[in-house]
Amino acid sequence: MTGAPTVFVATCDLAAQLRGRAVPISREEAVLRSGTGWVPADLAITCFGPIADNVFGSAGDLRLLPEPATRVDVPADGDLPGTRLYLANQTLPDGTPWECCPRTFLTTAVEELRAELGITVVASFEHEFTLAGLPSSPPFSFERYRSAEPFGSGLVTLLDQAGFDPETWLPEYGDAQHEITLSPADAVVAADRAVLLRELVRDLARRRGLRACFAPLLDPIGTGNGVHIHLSFRDADGNPALYDPARPGGLSELGARFSAGILRHAPALTAVTAASPVSFLRLTPHRWSAGGVFLAERNREAMLRICPGTGPDAGAQLNLEYRAADATANPWLALGVLLRAGLEGIRRGYPEPTVWPESATEEELSAVPPLPKTQDEALNALEKDEVVGGFFAPDLLTTYLAVKRAEAVSLGGLDDAERCRRIADVH
């Protein structure tokens, strides 16, 4: 890219917002070496803007140290200049890791799985969002697909040029809803792409006179926008580690024990993966989101779904899909807590969960544990779950709880429709 006047160095915070600082393009090499300044209390900024009460106060200094491999060039468009984006780790002034950095939280989890189990994590994030400003059109229709042009083809081109390897772009079920999926990648790369994708979608939509919204619900009775997190593993020789055709659902023992950890700690995990007060309006039965805490084959009401492969590569394609997530969550934290919870399932030898078959009836599934009904219930579960709470540095956990509770207070006294609108304004 030539002619870009600035470089934007960014992190994704606990409110799932991309925040950072711009520097002149002439300082790119310097900022790649030593980063740019940041403040610990920035971690406590809520999605609505104010800073929640926090342990940092006005003291301390950090650096946003860019990760060169995350570079994305956003091209100039009319009178709008291009820019260059980097995602950064938040570090101490001497460049050593800061224990409250969300990206470091994920990279450490990935390293733990590699060190203890000898496996590489492969992941992908599926994002649903709505595009306001388009004419009404039927679900999944060619009409909706075409009505989104030139936005749709522009988005695919932008993601392709950024090296994100887009897999599908499709009209979805809900009003004005669309979905973009990226091909599976190394876990940290997949989460980095999830962070950047949301901003690239919103930015391109603005430039096309549209408004993209990733909020979990725009209307309490409407169709929600989810983020489905897909996971699979490779062993040290590069072979799929989740697949065993002789076992229920084709899921290996390692996969079953990993799933047990996620299911055991589901209430606390949802406080991180479904991170807004309106998220839990969506996580109810019959919404095709997540109707209960169970593991199933090909059932989109399951919190954790086994996605089968096909043909001679079935083993390599099989993956776990975590469905109780949305774009109010920080992708680094969401994937990090899932990996750590799964690792605990293996470490602690949790009993293997039932793999509910595709044929399971609603009556048969009526006894499975429900998800939290409210964000407050999920946050209380996170606070009380010593295992999941132990994944976090104490200051990170304290700040996360403070941010989420401050956001909830900001919506106090509002009805569900107004709460959905306020969250949609942000996301």
Side-chain angles (χ1 to χ4, degrees), residues 326-369:
D326 61 53
T328 63
N330 178 304
W332 296 320
L333 292 183
L335 183 52
V337 294
L338 294 180
L339 296 181
R340 284 191 159 100
L343 180 57
E344 288 300 319
I346 296 167
R347 282 172 172 167
R348 297 168 184 261
Y350 290 161
E352 292 188 25
T354 298
V355 177
W356 289 93
E358 184 178 6
S359 59
T361 66
E362 188 170 335
E363 182 179 359
E364 290 172 324
L365 292 169
S366 63
V368 303

Side-chain angles (χ1 to χ4, degrees), residues 23 31 139 169 198 221 281 325 419:
V23 301
V31 83
W169 157 246
R198 300 172 189 179
I221 61 172
L281 299 176
R419 292 195 302 155

Side-chain angles (χ1 to χ4, degrees), residues 12 38 50 67 98 113 227 277 298 307 310 323 329 333 338 376 389 391 395-396 399 404 419:
C12 183
W38 202 238
E67 175 56 53
W98 184 45
L113 266 77
V227 173
R298 298 181 292 277
C307 299
T310 59
R323 297 180 59 80
L333 292 183
L338 294 180
D376 189 53
F391 301 161
D395 285 350
L396 177 57
T399 307
K404 294 301 146 187
R419 292 195 302 155

